[in-house]
């Protein structure tokens, strides 16, 4: 990957060709570097739960048969760690498929308003610690993959829940204008410091390492959200004020424009 063509003295067309080749090599180099980081970060993330499981298996081995408390605690912890490993591996697979362009994307016309309301209801059902507000215009249609759009909404609403203390408000809006369809998930939570805002869509990036580990975050949710937006030619942005709350906004092209 080190090779670059020397353009000094080359004729114009050859120079253009060489410049295009060099630019491609630059992009390839960045991509390979990103993939190497991804693999090493993923291995690092998987090492921790594996080490915890090993620790509990050792404990079971030594005291499991004599001490029922050790038995119960170890089994529960192994179950929890295995469950979080499964979530992590599923997210890694999603991103790997998306990099390889083998992600299944089946687009149809979907009623975004209904899908958004349904997703919010499902989440609301299992969370009675926050106030949920829906500002959803009826019958907004987008052309997209129903499962992926639902996943995108879930990621944004789940994050709003994770990073908003009990009693806070979470507002889901879907609005249609002539040019665009805008989906927004706004919370009154802990917010994100401005120096982190431009990095939160990167893989494994956590704005607050200590806090996110507690919430069980993988640091992959927003990277997946961004990939889903890319497959729908839509853009995702975040606004936030530390200590006051955050808003994640997705813009879809209006298909009936
Ligand atoms: P995680 O699994 O850690 O939540 P994400 O990729 O979904 O990973 O988010 C990346 C980081 O962005 C999080 O670790 C958190 O620091 C920050 N973040 C995401 N959503 C919010 C939010 N609604 N409020 C505050 N911080 C957020």
């Amino acid at each position: 990957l080190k090779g670059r063509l020397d353009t000094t003295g080359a004729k114009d067309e050859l120079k253009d060709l060489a410049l295009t080749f060099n630019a491609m090599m630059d992009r390839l180099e960045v991509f390979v570097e990103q993939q190497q980081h991804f693999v090493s970060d993923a291995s690092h993330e998987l090492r921790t739960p594996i080490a915890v499981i090993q620790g509990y298996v050792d404990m079971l081995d030594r005291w499991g048969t004599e001490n029922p408390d050790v038995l119960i605690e170890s089994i529960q912890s192994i179950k929890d760690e295995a469950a979080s490993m499964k979530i992590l591996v599923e997210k890694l697979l999603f991103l790997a498929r998306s990099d390889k362009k083998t992600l299944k994307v089946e687009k149809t016309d979907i009623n975004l308003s209904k899908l958004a309301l349904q997703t919010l209801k499902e989440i609301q059902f299992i969370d009675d610690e926050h106030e949920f507000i829906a500002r959803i215009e009826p019958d907004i249609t987008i052309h997209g993959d129903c499962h992926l759009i639902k996943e995108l909404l879930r990621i944004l609403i789940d994050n709003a829940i994770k990073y908003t203390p009990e009693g806070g408000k979470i507002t889901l809006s879907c609005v249609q204008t002539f040019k665009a369809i805008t989906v927004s998930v706004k919370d009154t939570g802990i917010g994100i410091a401005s120096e982190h805002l431009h990095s939160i869509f990167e893989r494994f990036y956590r704005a607050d390492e200590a806090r996110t580990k507690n919430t069980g975050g993988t640091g992959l949710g927003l990277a997946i959200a961004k990939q889903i937006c890319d497959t729908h030619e839509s853009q995702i942005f975040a606004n936030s004020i530390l200590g006051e709350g955050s808003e994640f906004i997705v813009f879809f092209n209006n298909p009936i424009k």
Side-chain angles (χ1 to χ4, degrees), residues 134-147:
R135 295 213 172 103
I136 299 174
E137 287 179 8
D139 294 326
I140 298 178
T141 306
I142 57 164
H143 192 65
D145 183 303
C146 188
H147 297 292

Side-chain angles (χ1 to χ4, degrees), residues 68-155:
D69 288 344
V70 168
L71 188 71
I72 293 165
E73 190 201 328
S74 305
I75 290 176
Q76 191 52 49
S77 304
I78 290 171
K79 269 189 184 166
D80 293 347
E81 290 299 322
S84 53
M85 262 170 83
K86 187 166 179 256
I87 293 172
L88 177 59
V89 168
E90 271 160 12
K91 291 188 168 169
L92 291 171
L93 274 175
F94 181 100
L95 288 167
R97 283 195 192 114
S98 156
D99 287 344
K100 281 199 320 185
K101 313 260 182 269
T102 55
L103 189 69
K104 236 171 74 200
V105 184
E106 283 169 9
K107 291 186 186 174
T108 54
D109 285 344
I110 48 180
N111 186 325
L112 179 69
S113 314
K114 275 195 183 154
L115 184 69
L117 264 180
Q118 187 196 339
T119 312
L120 189 68
K121 263 195 199 147
E122 284 166 11
I123 294 178
Q124 213 172 343
F125 205 56
I126 48 169
D127 176 5
D128 52 10
E129 292 182 354
H130 298 94
E131 183 187 341
F132 292 92
I133 301 161
R135 295 213 172 103
I136 299 174
E137 287 179 8
D139 294 326
I140 298 178
T141 306
I142 57 164
H143 192 65
D145 183 303
C146 188
H147 297 292
L148 292 180
I149 298 298
K150 189 165 184 166
E151 181 63 19
L152 168 68
L153 293 167
R154 275 220 177 110
I155 291 170

